[in-house]
Amino acid sequence: MKYALVTGGSRGLGRAVCKELAKDEIPVIINYQSNEEAAKAVKEDIEGCGGQAELLQFNVGDKSQVDAAIDRWQEAHPDDYIAYLVNNAGIRRDNMMFMMPEEDWHAVINISLNGFYYVTSKLLPKMMQRKHGGRIVNMASLSGLKGLPGQTNYSAAKAALIGATKALAQETAARQVTVNAVAPGFIDTDMTKDLDVDELKKLVPMNRFGKPEEVAALVRFLLSDAASYITGEVISINGGLYT
């Protein structure tokens, strides 16, 4: 059986992606780092709608945790494999660079970029060995395309993730593994709740923040068979803010 793993799946965009994928009857593995209560709530929502879900706790920025958790999962599912991966986990530690503590730089890079490496490199061999390959979607950002002041660390991490997406897509295409990135703009989640929504939405041609479900629908498409000839792409979803 093919499973989908969504990192950072207990809240925000990850939560919406988990619920959206379950609509396609894909068993969803909800990764979370510490908020077990929120992760359980996502699992219950999915199961309440007739879907399948399970929890897998680990910090994507800790290679030993990633390896141990995925090894345990694979031992418990010897005949199954994770065919769909959504690298969604990420954090913000916004500040002007001249005031940015070193730990905030490393924390953001570690979760968004190193986390992508740790999880993807662990799952990729089995994807490439399978006849039908796999699908990888990386959650990038408008910040990684445009660069945003106060987000030098976040912009650096997401821009690097975009470059990695394009390179990895070329490495895995012959094995039927597609790799794409989604670059959301301002989306109404807990990661943007501290922003001045009324002022920022004036910058968006559509004059509103996006909805998590809109991003999740795009991710669902990129993981589907209908997107089997799309790879190495970065698809913006930002209401026309940056094109």
Side-chain angles (χ1 to χ4, degrees), residues 27 116 135 138 159 242:
F116 152 78
R135 302 274 185 273
N138 299 319
Y242 182 77

Side-chain angles (χ1 to χ4, degrees), residues 141-185:
S141 172
L142 167 71
S143 187
L145 290 169
K146 182 180 184 294
L148 293 176
Q151 290 192 335
T152 304
N153 48 1
Y154 192 72
S155 294
K158 295 302 187 180
L161 186 60
I162 288 170
T165 296
K166 292 176 176 291
L168 184 60
Q170 296 174 70
E171 295 178 6
T172 62
R175 296 297 185 94
Q176 309 307 311
V177 176
T178 65
V179 188
N180 293 289
V182 172

